[in-house]
Amino acid sequence: MATDTDKLAGQVMMASAIVFGLALVTILTAHAFEQLGGYAPCQLCLQERYAYYFAVPAAVIAFFAARGSAFGFARLVLVLIAVGFVLNAALGIYHAG
């Protein structure tokens, strides 16, 4: 039977893995459009990628921190990723508008 610590570790690890996967797919798709599709990104497009460049390795760090029972640190990293994505969303709204 799983303990509460095991459940918490699983939840944080799952959240980290989802963030990692989505951020990686998003940034790889953007690079594919650029390299294969011939789309030249503008300066704001490039700036909007910073949150993803941060999120990919940070999610890996959060995953292994949760695996090592450093839940507070893992949660902090996930919150920092979320803040980065919120700021990135604001930049995206400005960019689209």
Short mmCIF file of all heavy atoms in Angstrom, two decimals, residues 49-87:
data_model
loop_
_atom_site.label_atom_id
_atom_site.label_comp_id
_atom_site.label_asym_id
_atom_site.label_seq_id
_atom_site.Cartn_x
_atom_site.Cartn_y
_atom_site.Cartn_z
N ARG A 49 10.07 32.06 -26.57
CA ARG A 49 10.63 30.72 -26.38
C ARG A 49 11.39 30.59 -25.06
O ARG A 49 11.64 29.48 -24.61
CB ARG A 49 11.56 30.36 -27.53
CG ARG A 49 10.84 30.24 -28.85
CD ARG A 49 11.81 29.89 -29.94
NE ARG A 49 11.15 29.94 -31.24
CZ ARG A 49 11.74 29.65 -32.38
NH1 ARG A 49 13.01 29.28 -32.39
NH2 ARG A 49 11.08 29.72 -33.51
N TYR A 50 11.77 31.68 -24.44
CA TYR A 50 12.59 31.63 -23.22
C TYR A 50 11.93 30.81 -22.12
O TYR A 50 12.61 30.07 -21.41
CB TYR A 50 12.91 33.03 -22.71
CG TYR A 50 13.81 33.86 -23.60
CD1 TYR A 50 13.85 35.23 -23.48
CD2 TYR A 50 14.60 33.27 -24.58
CE1 TYR A 50 14.67 36.00 -24.27
CE2 TYR A 50 15.42 34.04 -25.39
CZ TYR A 50 15.45 35.41 -25.23
OH TYR A 50 16.26 36.17 -26.03
N ALA A 51 10.63 30.96 -21.96
CA ALA A 51 9.93 30.20 -20.92
C ALA A 51 10.05 28.71 -21.17
O ALA A 51 10.21 27.92 -20.22
CB ALA A 51 8.46 30.61 -20.85
N TYR A 52 10.02 28.30 -22.42
CA TYR A 52 10.14 26.88 -22.75
C TYR A 52 11.57 26.39 -22.57
O TYR A 52 11.80 25.28 -22.11
CB TYR A 52 9.67 26.64 -24.19
CG TYR A 52 8.20 26.93 -24.34
CD1 TYR A 52 7.75 28.17 -24.77
CD2 TYR A 52 7.26 25.96 -24.02
CE1 TYR A 52 6.41 28.44 -24.89
CE2 TYR A 52 5.90 26.21 -24.14
CZ TYR A 52 5.49 27.46 -24.58
OH TYR A 52 4.15 27.73 -24.69
N TYR A 53 12.55 27.25 -22.92
CA TYR A 53 13.95 26.88 -22.71
C TYR A 53 14.24 26.70 -21.21
O TYR A 53 15.09 25.90 -20.84
CB TYR A 53 14.89 27.93 -23.29
CG TYR A 53 14.87 28.04 -24.80
CD1 TYR A 53 14.98 29.26 -25.43
CD2 TYR A 53 14.75 26.91 -25.60
CE1 TYR A 53 14.98 29.37 -26.81
CE2 TYR A 53 14.73 27.00 -26.98
CZ TYR A 53 14.85 28.24 -27.58
OH TYR A 53 14.85 28.34 -28.94
N PHE A 54 13.55 27.47 -20.38
CA PHE A 54 13.70 27.32 -18.94
C PHE A 54 12.94 26.10 -18.44
O PHE A 54 13.42 25.35 -17.59
CB PHE A 54 13.19 28.58 -18.22
CG PHE A 54 13.09 28.42 -16.74
CD1 PHE A 54 14.23 28.37 -15.95
CD2 PHE A 54 11.86 28.30 -16.12
CE1 PHE A 54 14.14 28.20 -14.58
CE2 PHE A 54 11.75 28.13 -14.76
CZ PHE A 54 12.90 28.09 -13.98
N ALA A 55 11.74 25.89 -18.96
CA ALA A 55 10.85 24.85 -18.43
C ALA A 55 11.37 23.43 -18.67
O ALA A 55 11.19 22.57 -17.81
CB ALA A 55 9.45 24.98 -19.02
N VAL A 56 12.00 23.19 -19.80
CA VAL A 56 12.42 21.82 -20.12
C VAL A 56 13.43 21.30 -19.09
O VAL A 56 13.18 20.28 -18.45
CB VAL A 56 12.94 21.72 -21.58
CG1 VAL A 56 13.59 20.38 -21.83
CG2 VAL A 56 11.80 21.95 -22.56
N PRO A 57 14.57 21.96 -18.88
CA PRO A 57 15.50 21.43 -17.88
C PRO A 57 14.98 21.58 -16.44
O PRO A 57 15.25 20.73 -15.58
CB PRO A 57 16.78 22.23 -18.09
CG PRO A 57 16.37 23.46 -18.79
CD PRO A 57 15.14 23.11 -19.58
N ALA A 58 14.21 22.63 -16.17
CA ALA A 58 13.68 22.83 -14.82
C ALA A 58 12.70 21.72 -14.45
O ALA A 58 12.65 21.28 -13.30
CB ALA A 58 13.01 24.20 -14.70
N ALA A 59 11.91 21.26 -15.41
CA ALA A 59 10.97 20.16 -15.14
C ALA A 59 11.72 18.87 -14.83
O ALA A 59 11.29 18.08 -13.98
CB ALA A 59 10.03 19.96 -16.33
N VAL A 60 12.85 18.66 -15.49
CA VAL A 60 13.67 17.48 -15.19
C VAL A 60 14.22 17.59 -13.77
O VAL A 60 14.21 16.61 -13.00
CB VAL A 60 14.82 17.34 -16.22
CG1 VAL A 60 15.79 16.24 -15.81
CG2 VAL A 60 14.26 17.06 -17.60
N ILE A 61 14.66 18.77 -13.39
CA ILE A 61 15.16 18.99 -12.03
C ILE A 61 14.05 18.75 -11.01
O ILE A 61 14.27 18.09 -9.99
CB ILE A 61 15.75 20.41 -11.90
CG1 ILE A 61 17.04 20.52 -12.72
CG2 ILE A 61 16.00 20.78 -10.44
CD1 ILE A 61 17.55 21.93 -12.88
N ALA A 62 12.86 19.26 -11.29
CA ALA A 62 11.73 19.05 -10.37
C ALA A 62 11.38 17.58 -10.26
O ALA A 62 11.07 17.08 -9.17
CB ALA A 62 10.52 19.85 -10.85
N PHE A 63 11.43 16.86 -11.37
CA PHE A 63 11.13 15.43 -11.38
C PHE A 63 12.08 14.68 -10.44
O PHE A 63 11.65 13.91 -9.60
CB PHE A 63 11.24 14.89 -12.81
CG PHE A 63 10.94 13.42 -12.92
CD1 PHE A 63 9.65 13.00 -13.16
CD2 PHE A 63 11.94 12.47 -12.79
CE1 PHE A 63 9.35 11.64 -13.28
CE2 PHE A 63 11.66 11.12 -12.90
CZ PHE A 63 10.36 10.70 -13.14
N PHE A 64 13.36 14.91 -10.61
CA PHE A 64 14.33 14.19 -9.79
C PHE A 64 14.36 14.68 -8.35
O PHE A 64 14.68 13.92 -7.43
CB PHE A 64 15.71 14.21 -10.43
CG PHE A 64 15.80 13.29 -11.61
CD1 PHE A 64 15.86 13.79 -12.90
CD2 PHE A 64 15.78 11.92 -11.44
CE1 PHE A 64 15.92 12.94 -13.99
CE2 PHE A 64 15.82 11.05 -12.52
CZ PHE A 64 15.90 11.57 -13.80
N ALA A 65 14.01 15.94 -8.13
CA ALA A 65 13.90 16.44 -6.75
C ALA A 65 12.75 15.73 -6.05
O ALA A 65 12.87 15.35 -4.87
CB ALA A 65 13.70 17.95 -6.74
N ALA A 66 11.63 15.56 -6.74
CA ALA A 66 10.49 14.85 -6.15
C ALA A 66 10.84 13.39 -5.91
O ALA A 66 10.44 12.80 -4.90
CB ALA A 66 9.27 14.96 -7.04
N ARG A 67 11.56 12.82 -6.83
CA ARG A 67 11.97 11.42 -6.68
C ARG A 67 12.87 11.25 -5.46
O ARG A 67 12.85 10.22 -4.80
CB ARG A 67 12.69 10.98 -7.94
CG ARG A 67 13.01 9.51 -7.97
CD ARG A 67 13.51 9.10 -9.31
NE ARG A 67 13.82 7.68 -9.29
CZ ARG A 67 14.64 7.09 -10.09
NH1 ARG A 67 15.26 7.79 -11.02
NH2 ARG A 67 14.87 5.81 -10.01
N GLY A 68 13.66 12.28 -5.16
CA GLY A 68 14.54 12.24 -4.00
C GLY A 68 13.90 12.78 -2.74
O GLY A 68 14.59 13.09 -1.78
N SER A 69 12.59 12.95 -2.75
CA SER A 69 11.81 13.41 -1.60
C SER A 69 12.06 14.87 -1.22
O SER A 69 11.79 15.26 -0.10
CB SER A 69 12.03 12.51 -0.39
OG SER A 69 11.59 11.20 -0.67
N ALA A 70 12.54 15.67 -2.14
CA ALA A 70 12.69 17.11 -1.91
C ALA A 70 11.47 17.81 -2.48
O ALA A 70 11.54 18.57 -3.46
CB ALA A 70 13.97 17.62 -2.55
N PHE A 71 10.32 17.55 -1.86
CA PHE A 71 9.05 18.02 -2.42
C PHE A 71 8.93 19.54 -2.42
O PHE A 71 8.38 20.12 -3.34
CB PHE A 71 7.87 17.42 -1.67
CG PHE A 71 7.90 15.91 -1.64
CD1 PHE A 71 7.97 15.24 -0.44
CD2 PHE A 71 7.88 15.19 -2.81
CE1 PHE A 71 8.01 13.86 -0.41
CE2 PHE A 71 7.92 13.81 -2.80
CZ PHE A 71 7.99 13.14 -1.58
N GLY A 72 9.43 20.18 -1.38
CA GLY A 72 9.36 21.63 -1.31
C GLY A 72 10.12 22.28 -2.46
O GLY A 72 9.62 23.21 -3.11
N PHE A 73 11.30 21.78 -2.73
CA PHE A 73 12.10 22.31 -3.82
C PHE A 73 11.43 22.02 -5.16
O PHE A 73 11.38 22.88 -6.04
CB PHE A 73 13.51 21.72 -3.78
CG PHE A 73 14.38 22.20 -4.91
CD1 PHE A 73 14.83 23.50 -4.94
CD2 PHE A 73 14.73 21.35 -5.94
CE1 PHE A 73 15.62 23.95 -5.99
CE2 PHE A 73 15.51 21.77 -6.99
CZ PHE A 73 15.98 23.08 -7.01
N ALA A 74 10.93 20.81 -5.32
CA ALA A 74 10.26 20.44 -6.57
C ALA A 74 9.04 21.33 -6.81
O ALA A 74 8.81 21.79 -7.94
CB ALA A 74 9.85 18.97 -6.54
N ARG A 75 8.28 21.58 -5.78
CA ARG A 75 7.11 22.46 -5.92
C ARG A 75 7.53 23.88 -6.27
O ARG A 75 6.90 24.54 -7.09
CB ARG A 75 6.29 22.47 -4.63
CG ARG A 75 5.51 21.22 -4.40
CD ARG A 75 4.79 21.31 -3.08
NE ARG A 75 3.92 20.19 -2.85
CZ ARG A 75 3.28 19.98 -1.71
NH1 ARG A 75 3.42 20.84 -0.70
NH2 ARG A 75 2.50 18.94 -1.57
N LEU A 76 8.61 24.36 -5.64
CA LEU A 76 9.11 25.70 -5.94
C LEU A 76 9.50 25.80 -7.42
O LEU A 76 9.18 26.79 -8.08
CB LEU A 76 10.32 26.03 -5.05
CG LEU A 76 11.03 27.35 -5.36
CD1 LEU A 76 10.10 28.52 -5.12
CD2 LEU A 76 12.30 27.47 -4.55
N VAL A 77 10.18 24.80 -7.92
CA VAL A 77 10.58 24.81 -9.33
C VAL A 77 9.35 24.81 -10.23
O VAL A 77 9.29 25.56 -11.21
CB VAL A 77 11.51 23.61 -9.64
CG1 VAL A 77 11.77 23.50 -11.14
CG2 VAL A 77 12.82 23.74 -8.88
N LEU A 78 8.35 24.02 -9.89
CA LEU A 78 7.12 24.00 -10.70
C LEU A 78 6.40 25.35 -10.64
O LEU A 78 5.84 25.80 -11.64
CB LEU A 78 6.20 22.87 -10.24
CG LEU A 78 6.68 21.46 -10.60
CD1 LEU A 78 5.76 20.41 -9.97
CD2 LEU A 78 6.76 21.27 -12.10
N VAL A 79 6.42 26.00 -9.49
CA VAL A 79 5.81 27.34 -9.39
C VAL A 79 6.58 28.34 -10.25
O VAL A 79 5.98 29.17 -10.94
CB VAL A 79 5.75 27.80 -7.91
CG1 VAL A 79 5.44 29.28 -7.80
CG2 VAL A 79 4.72 26.98 -7.15
N LEU A 80 7.90 28.25 -10.24
CA LEU A 80 8.70 29.15 -11.09
C LEU A 80 8.41 28.91 -12.57
O LEU A 80 8.35 29.87 -13.36
CB LEU A 80 10.19 28.96 -10.80
CG LEU A 80 10.67 29.47 -9.44
CD1 LEU A 80 12.13 29.10 -9.22
CD2 LEU A 80 10.46 30.96 -9.32
N ILE A 81 8.23 27.66 -12.94
CA ILE A 81 7.85 27.36 -14.33
C ILE A 81 6.50 27.98 -14.64
O ILE A 81 6.32 28.59 -15.70
CB ILE A 81 7.83 25.83 -14.57
CG1 ILE A 81 9.24 25.26 -14.49
CG2 ILE A 81 7.19 25.50 -15.91
CD1 ILE A 81 9.28 23.74 -14.47
N ALA A 82 5.55 27.85 -13.73
CA ALA A 82 4.21 28.42 -13.94
C ALA A 82 4.27 29.94 -14.07
O ALA A 82 3.61 30.52 -14.94
CB ALA A 82 3.28 28.02 -12.80
N VAL A 83 5.07 30.59 -13.24
CA VAL A 83 5.23 32.05 -13.33
C VAL A 83 5.82 32.42 -14.69
O VAL A 83 5.37 33.38 -15.33
CB VAL A 83 6.10 32.58 -12.17
CG1 VAL A 83 6.52 34.02 -12.39
CG2 VAL A 83 5.37 32.45 -10.85
N GLY A 84 6.81 31.66 -15.12
CA GLY A 84 7.39 31.92 -16.44
C GLY A 84 6.37 31.80 -17.56
O GLY A 84 6.34 32.62 -18.49
N PHE A 85 5.51 30.79 -17.47
CA PHE A 85 4.49 30.62 -18.50
C PHE A 85 3.42 31.70 -18.45
O PHE A 85 2.90 32.12 -19.49
CB PHE A 85 3.85 29.23 -18.42
CG PHE A 85 4.70 28.14 -19.02
CD1 PHE A 85 4.76 26.90 -18.43
CD2 PHE A 85 5.43 28.35 -20.17
CE1 PHE A 85 5.53 25.88 -18.98
CE2 PHE A 85 6.20 27.35 -20.73
CZ PHE A 85 6.25 26.11 -20.13
N VAL A 86 3.09 32.19 -17.26
CA VAL A 86 2.12 33.28 -17.15
C VAL A 86 2.69 34.55 -17.77
O VAL A 86 2.01 35.25 -18.53
CB VAL A 86 1.70 33.51 -15.67
CG1 VAL A 86 0.97 34.82 -15.50
CG2 VAL A 86 0.86 32.35 -15.18
N LEU A 87 3.95 34.84 -17.46
CA LEU A 87 4.59 36.02 -18.07
C LEU A 87 4.70 35.85 -19.59
O LEU A 87 4.53 36.79 -20.35
CB LEU A 87 5.97 36.24 -17.45
CG LEU A 87 5.98 36.62 -15.98
CD1 LEU A 87 7.41 36.65 -15.44
CD2 LEU A 87 5.29 37.95 -15.76
#
